[in-house]
Amino acid sequence: MAEVALQTLHVVAKELGLTLGEARESLEAYAERPEDPTLLVTCAERLHDVHGVLRMVEVYGAALLAEEMEQVARFLIEGVDDAPGQKSRNHPEGLDALMRAMVQLPAYLERVLGGGRDLALVLLPLLNDLRAVRGQALLSEGTLLLLNLTSDRQPQPVPPQPGEPPLNVAQWARRLRPRYQVGLLGWMKGERAAQHLEILSAVAERLEQVATRQPVFQLWWVVGSLVEALREGGLEANATVKRLLGQADRELKRLYESGEPRYS
């Protein structure tokens, strides 16, 4: 997430919180008084405002969630309008998904404000629950990962800490590969998964920090994003993901054998 966008998010965070609070209050009131659909209308309008602000400050994962929430609210409104006094078959599921999203969205924003990645993959199960209510096609991991990738992201190398050896990127790759392999093997075996994912995350973060070429930086940003999504429960540890993280191990080998300029 760009630094300017993050600063802007900090500025508008309080107002966003208030608007989200109003949306949640309207939804909770509707759950208690379902004969009053104007409460759902208010909820949808507030979510529309939230979506617009989040798009403006470039928090795309949260903006996508707010948009799906608004669409579900409007779907529920249409169901009430089409059959006064009756509820569509998906009405309870829609209310449940919306309620859960009302809790998740502020938590997600708090995480981004605290320096976490804006990573829509973390929200994948909830996004697909919201889409299923409306009978929409489900989103894939690949679609959400691409949402977060921007080709103009540039490396911002971090200088060595006091007492830290001044290694180049290839040297870091050679040094970190055994640690990455320990984390990968332990995670694949299902042994202390959280601890081993933390190891993988630390390696990816370090390579992001020391990269001086965009392709290397971008690769390890992606690996770090995948690992973070696994840690947050937004991505399933399936065979494809395991294969990708195994491929990242081989890329480490290529990096230290070729050197960063040639590798890039």
Side-chain angles (χ1 to χ4, degrees), residues 171-185 199-200 203 249 252 256:
Q171 290 169 327
W172 270 113
R174 184 183 293 274
R175 182 173 181 170
L176 290 170
R177 190 183 181 210
R179 183 164 175 75
Y180 184 90
Q181 290 175 324
V182 167
L184 182 62
L185 185 60
I199 291 172
L200 295 178
V203 172
D249 171 58
L252 271 175
Y256 69 67

Side-chain angles (χ1 to χ4, degrees), residues 14-172:
K14 183 176 180 181
E15 191 63 34
L16 265 176
L18 291 172
T19 307
L20 274 172
E22 291 174 4
R24 182 172 179 172
E25 287 173 7
S26 297
L27 183 63
E28 289 173 347
Y30 173 74
E32 295 176 1
R33 303 196 302 277
E35 70 280 0
D36 185 1
T38 61
L39 293 166
L40 265 183
V41 174
T42 301
C43 177
E45 289 172 349
R46 297 298 177 271
L47 288 170
H48 182 79
D49 294 340
V50 168
H51 172 245
V53 173
L54 290 171
R55 289 285 300 178
M56 180 188 71
V57 298
E58 301 176 10
V59 189
Y60 295 118
L64 182 59
L65 179 57
E67 182 179 25
E68 292 292 345
M69 291 166 70
E70 179 192 350
Q71 292 298 324
V72 169
R74 296 197 184 281
F75 173 81
L76 295 177
I77 293 166
E78 290 170 5
V80 172
D81 290 343
D82 290 344
Q86 298 181 13
K87 300 292 184 294
S88 71
R89 184 175 56 186
N90 290 345
H91 194 272
E93 290 83 356
L95 278 179
D96 176 68
L98 262 183
M99 288 289 193
R100 286 186 284 117
M102 285 291 183
V103 175
Q104 185 66 34
L105 182 51
Y108 183 87
L109 287 172
E110 186 175 337
R111 175 175 166 276
V112 174
L113 283 165
R117 299 172 196 260
D118 173 28
L119 187 62
L121 275 172
V122 173
L123 302 170
L124 181 59
L126 183 53
L127 287 167
N128 279 336
D129 284 350
L130 291 165
R131 293 179 67 83
V133 168
R134 298 187 294 121
Q136 297 297 302
L138 303 185
L139 298 169
S140 70
E141 293 91 343
T143 301
L144 293 187
L145 186 59
L146 286 172
L147 177 70
N148 283 92
L149 299 184
T150 52
S151 60
D152 60 349
R153 282 184 67 92
Q154 295 301 318
Q156 297 177 318
V158 176
Q161 298 296 313
E164 192 174 69
L167 305 179
N168 62 33
V169 179
Q171 290 169 327
W172 270 113

